[in-house]
Amino acid sequence: MVCAGIARERGFSVVALTVDYNQRHRVELEAARAIAAVLADRHIILPLDLRAFGGSALTSDIAVPKDGLGEGIPVTYVPARNTIFLSLALGLAEASGARDIFIGVNALDYSGYPDCRPEFVAGFERLANLATKAGVEGDRFAIHAPLEAMTKADIAREAQRLGLDAALSHSCYDPAPDGRACGRCDACRLRAKGFADAGLADPTVYA
């Protein structure tokens, strides 16, 4: 949401790509639809069943950790997810004539997720320009990660500055059947801390 808001502020028209990868809940997709209705000129929901691969608490029957942030790469890491998502976004961009791709990775994800790190983003940009007709013909792609150096608190403040309704967004890895956030998974803990550190009210409804 904040990434799209920044893109619009910079003068871009936004084509939003949501990947329905058969993750363990649908609330995320509903949130994407609501956000895209506000910020996107076009919204594509692309089905891609990553449960066929498994290997993550988000795509197989592995429990989502609820005991606080741990060391190392967590079981909520989905194998190569951002590489897969950016590859799809690259195909969409080339087909639609766009050359700027935005992804909302951020600083607090660096330690846990290798595909959120600056070197990954820079590496994918090099790949994009080697792997496409547009790139090799000199019509180059740029991968933008405007949240990369921000903390969760910075992102919460940026949402407020942009006039965005943070209640539309969703972070929880394991929401209740009614869509309320669990309040205990890593994503919930980081989200709540971000609002608290920013001195802003947290609009999230927790179970």
Side-chain angles (χ1 to χ4, degrees), residues 1-6 35 38-39 155-156 158-168:
M1 180 182 72
V2 175
C3 192
I6 290 171
I35 292 164
V38 174
L39 291 171
I155 295 167
E158 192 71 351
Q160 183 185 56
R161 184 188 71 79
L162 291 165
L164 302 174
D165 181 4
L168 293 178

mmCIF file of all heavy atoms in Angstrom, residues 1-6 35 38-39 155-156 158-168:
data_model
loop_
_atom_site.group_PDB
_atom_site.id
_atom_site.type_symbol
_atom_site.label_atom_id
_atom_site.label_comp_id
_atom_site.label_asym_id
_atom_site.label_seq_id
_atom_site.Cartn_x
_atom_site.Cartn_y
_atom_site.Cartn_z
ATOM 1 N N MET A 1 0.822 -1.200 0.000
ATOM 2 C CA MET A 1 0.000 0.000 0.000
ATOM 3 C C MET A 1 0.863 1.259 0.000
ATOM 4 O O MET A 1 0.656 2.167 -0.814
ATOM 5 C CB MET A 1 -0.931 0.005 1.213
ATOM 6 C CG MET A 1 -1.837 1.216 1.296
ATOM 7 S SD MET A 1 -2.881 1.236 2.758
ATOM 8 C CE MET A 1 -1.649 1.592 4.010
ATOM 9 N N VAL A 2 1.824 1.340 0.902
ATOM 10 C CA VAL A 2 2.686 2.520 0.981
ATOM 11 C C VAL A 2 3.558 2.620 -0.264
ATOM 12 O O VAL A 2 3.778 3.713 -0.802
ATOM 13 C CB VAL A 2 3.536 2.485 2.273
ATOM 14 C CG1 VAL A 2 4.529 3.640 2.298
ATOM 15 C CG2 VAL A 2 2.641 2.539 3.503
ATOM 16 N N CYS A 3 4.033 1.489 -0.745
ATOM 17 C CA CYS A 3 4.847 1.462 -1.961
ATOM 18 C C CYS A 3 4.064 2.041 -3.138
ATOM 19 O O CYS A 3 4.575 2.872 -3.901
ATOM 20 C CB CYS A 3 5.252 0.017 -2.238
ATOM 21 S SG CYS A 3 6.512 -0.177 -3.494
ATOM 22 N N ALA A 4 2.810 1.628 -3.296
ATOM 23 C CA ALA A 4 1.967 2.146 -4.380
ATOM 24 C C ALA A 4 1.682 3.627 -4.187
ATOM 25 O O ALA A 4 1.650 4.394 -5.157
ATOM 26 C CB ALA A 4 0.664 1.356 -4.448
ATOM 27 N N GLY A 5 1.483 4.042 -2.930
ATOM 28 C CA GLY A 5 1.259 5.452 -2.644
ATOM 29 C C GLY A 5 2.451 6.308 -3.038
ATOM 30 O O GLY A 5 2.296 7.397 -3.597
ATOM 31 N N ILE A 6 3.652 5.806 -2.763
ATOM 32 C CA ILE A 6 4.876 6.528 -3.137
ATOM 33 C C ILE A 6 5.001 6.586 -4.659
ATOM 34 O O ILE A 6 5.363 7.626 -5.228
ATOM 35 C CB ILE A 6 6.105 5.856 -2.497
ATOM 36 C CG1 ILE A 6 6.098 6.093 -0.984
ATOM 37 C CG2 ILE A 6 7.400 6.371 -3.121
ATOM 38 C CD1 ILE A 6 7.140 5.295 -0.231
ATOM 39 N N ILE A 35 -7.088 -2.057 -1.396
ATOM 40 C CA ILE A 35 -6.010 -1.079 -1.599
ATOM 41 C C ILE A 35 -5.904 -0.698 -3.071
ATOM 42 O O ILE A 35 -5.761 0.480 -3.414
ATOM 43 C CB ILE A 35 -4.676 -1.656 -1.075
ATOM 44 C CG1 ILE A 35 -4.725 -1.774 0.449
ATOM 45 C CG2 ILE A 35 -3.499 -0.796 -1.527
ATOM 46 C CD1 ILE A 35 -3.646 -2.660 1.037
ATOM 47 N N VAL A 38 -8.206 1.883 -4.399
ATOM 48 C CA VAL A 38 -7.869 3.264 -4.038
ATOM 49 C C VAL A 38 -6.669 3.779 -4.836
ATOM 50 O O VAL A 38 -6.647 4.931 -5.265
ATOM 51 C CB VAL A 38 -7.557 3.365 -2.525
ATOM 52 C CG1 VAL A 38 -7.073 4.760 -2.148
ATOM 53 C CG2 VAL A 38 -8.781 2.980 -1.707
ATOM 54 N N LEU A 39 -5.664 2.912 -5.050
ATOM 55 C CA LEU A 39 -4.372 3.385 -5.539
ATOM 56 C C LEU A 39 -3.997 2.947 -6.952
ATOM 57 O O LEU A 39 -3.077 3.510 -7.540
ATOM 58 C CB LEU A 39 -3.263 2.918 -4.582
ATOM 59 C CG LEU A 39 -3.253 3.567 -3.204
ATOM 60 C CD1 LEU A 39 -2.269 2.875 -2.282
ATOM 61 C CD2 LEU A 39 -2.916 5.045 -3.319
ATOM 62 N N ILE A 155 7.515 3.334 7.947
ATOM 63 C CA ILE A 155 6.471 2.998 6.979
ATOM 64 C C ILE A 155 5.102 3.432 7.496
ATOM 65 O O ILE A 155 4.279 3.964 6.735
ATOM 66 C CB ILE A 155 6.508 1.490 6.663
ATOM 67 C CG1 ILE A 155 7.815 1.146 5.953
ATOM 68 C CG2 ILE A 155 5.313 1.081 5.794
ATOM 69 C CD1 ILE A 155 8.095 -0.349 5.864
ATOM 70 N N ALA A 156 4.864 3.244 8.777
ATOM 71 C CA ALA A 156 3.601 3.701 9.370
ATOM 72 C C ALA A 156 3.467 5.213 9.244
ATOM 73 O O ALA A 156 2.395 5.733 8.891
ATOM 74 C CB ALA A 156 3.520 3.275 10.832
ATOM 75 N N GLU A 158 4.912 7.064 7.000
ATOM 76 C CA GLU A 158 4.772 7.381 5.578
ATOM 77 C C GLU A 158 3.328 7.169 5.119
ATOM 78 O O GLU A 158 2.800 7.952 4.325
ATOM 79 C CB GLU A 158 5.740 6.507 4.761
ATOM 80 C CG GLU A 158 5.918 6.916 3.328
ATOM 81 C CD GLU A 158 6.694 8.216 3.136
ATOM 82 O OE1 GLU A 158 6.969 8.928 4.129
ATOM 83 O OE2 GLU A 158 7.002 8.535 1.975
ATOM 84 N N ALA A 159 2.685 6.128 5.627
ATOM 85 C CA ALA A 159 1.267 5.903 5.304
ATOM 86 C C ALA A 159 0.431 7.099 5.752
ATOM 87 O O ALA A 159 -0.434 7.585 5.012
ATOM 88 C CB ALA A 159 0.776 4.628 5.968
ATOM 89 N N GLN A 160 0.715 7.596 6.956
ATOM 90 C CA GLN A 160 -0.024 8.755 7.463
ATOM 91 C C GLN A 160 0.273 9.991 6.614
ATOM 92 O O GLN A 160 -0.650 10.741 6.252
ATOM 93 C CB GLN A 160 0.341 9.018 8.917
ATOM 94 C CG GLN A 160 -0.454 10.174 9.529
ATOM 95 C CD GLN A 160 -0.008 10.503 10.938
ATOM 96 O OE1 GLN A 160 1.164 10.785 11.171
ATOM 97 N NE2 GLN A 160 -0.932 10.460 11.887
ATOM 98 N N ARG A 161 1.532 10.204 6.283
ATOM 99 C CA ARG A 161 1.909 11.376 5.473
ATOM 100 C C ARG A 161 1.204 11.365 4.112
ATOM 101 O O ARG A 161 0.778 12.409 3.607
ATOM 102 C CB ARG A 161 3.431 11.395 5.262
ATOM 103 C CG ARG A 161 3.930 12.626 4.513
ATOM 104 C CD ARG A 161 5.403 12.522 4.158
ATOM 105 N NE ARG A 161 5.663 11.537 3.122
ATOM 106 C CZ ARG A 161 5.456 11.736 1.810
ATOM 107 N NH1 ARG A 161 4.965 12.898 1.376
ATOM 108 N NH2 ARG A 161 5.744 10.797 0.927
ATOM 109 N N LEU A 162 1.066 10.178 3.532
ATOM 110 C CA LEU A 162 0.439 10.044 2.222
ATOM 111 C C LEU A 162 -1.087 10.061 2.291
ATOM 112 O O LEU A 162 -1.758 10.021 1.264
ATOM 113 C CB LEU A 162 0.907 8.737 1.557
ATOM 114 C CG LEU A 162 2.381 8.703 1.129
ATOM 115 C CD1 LEU A 162 2.815 7.264 0.843
ATOM 116 C CD2 LEU A 162 2.615 9.582 -0.090
ATOM 117 N N GLY A 163 -1.621 10.102 3.519
ATOM 118 C CA GLY A 163 -3.067 10.121 3.682
ATOM 119 C C GLY A 163 -3.725 8.779 3.407
ATOM 120 O O GLY A 163 -4.896 8.715 3.022
ATOM 121 N N LEU A 164 -2.984 7.695 3.631
ATOM 122 C CA LEU A 164 -3.494 6.349 3.364
ATOM 123 C C LEU A 164 -4.158 5.768 4.610
ATOM 124 O O LEU A 164 -3.748 6.055 5.735
ATOM 125 C CB LEU A 164 -2.356 5.434 2.913
ATOM 126 C CG LEU A 164 -1.598 5.895 1.666
ATOM 127 C CD1 LEU A 164 -0.406 4.981 1.406
ATOM 128 C CD2 LEU A 164 -2.518 5.929 0.456
ATOM 129 N N ASP A 165 -5.148 4.944 4.394
ATOM 130 C CA ASP A 165 -5.868 4.289 5.493
ATOM 131 C C ASP A 165 -5.183 2.964 5.815
ATOM 132 O O ASP A 165 -5.398 1.959 5.136
ATOM 133 C CB ASP A 165 -7.319 4.057 5.091
ATOM 134 C CG ASP A 165 -8.137 3.396 6.193
ATOM 135 O OD1 ASP A 165 -7.590 3.177 7.303
ATOM 136 O OD2 ASP A 165 -9.312 3.085 5.940
ATOM 137 N N ALA A 166 -4.356 2.967 6.856
ATOM 138 C CA ALA A 166 -3.595 1.768 7.209
ATOM 139 C C ALA A 166 -4.495 0.596 7.584
ATOM 140 O O ALA A 166 -4.075 -0.561 7.531
ATOM 141 C CB ALA A 166 -2.624 2.074 8.345
ATOM 142 N N ALA A 167 -5.738 0.872 7.944
ATOM 143 C CA ALA A 167 -6.678 -0.199 8.300
ATOM 144 C C ALA A 167 -6.999 -1.084 7.101
ATOM 145 O O ALA A 167 -7.445 -2.223 7.273
ATOM 146 C CB ALA A 167 -7.959 0.388 8.874
ATOM 147 N N LEU A 168 -6.784 -0.583 5.889
ATOM 148 C CA LEU A 168 -7.025 -1.403 4.699
ATOM 149 C C LEU A 168 -5.984 -2.507 4.542
ATOM 150 O O LEU A 168 -6.250 -3.517 3.897
ATOM 151 C CB LEU A 168 -7.014 -0.536 3.432
ATOM 152 C CG LEU A 168 -8.139 0.477 3.248
ATOM 153 C CD1 LEU A 168 -7.912 1.265 1.960
ATOM 154 C CD2 LEU A 168 -9.489 -0.225 3.214
#
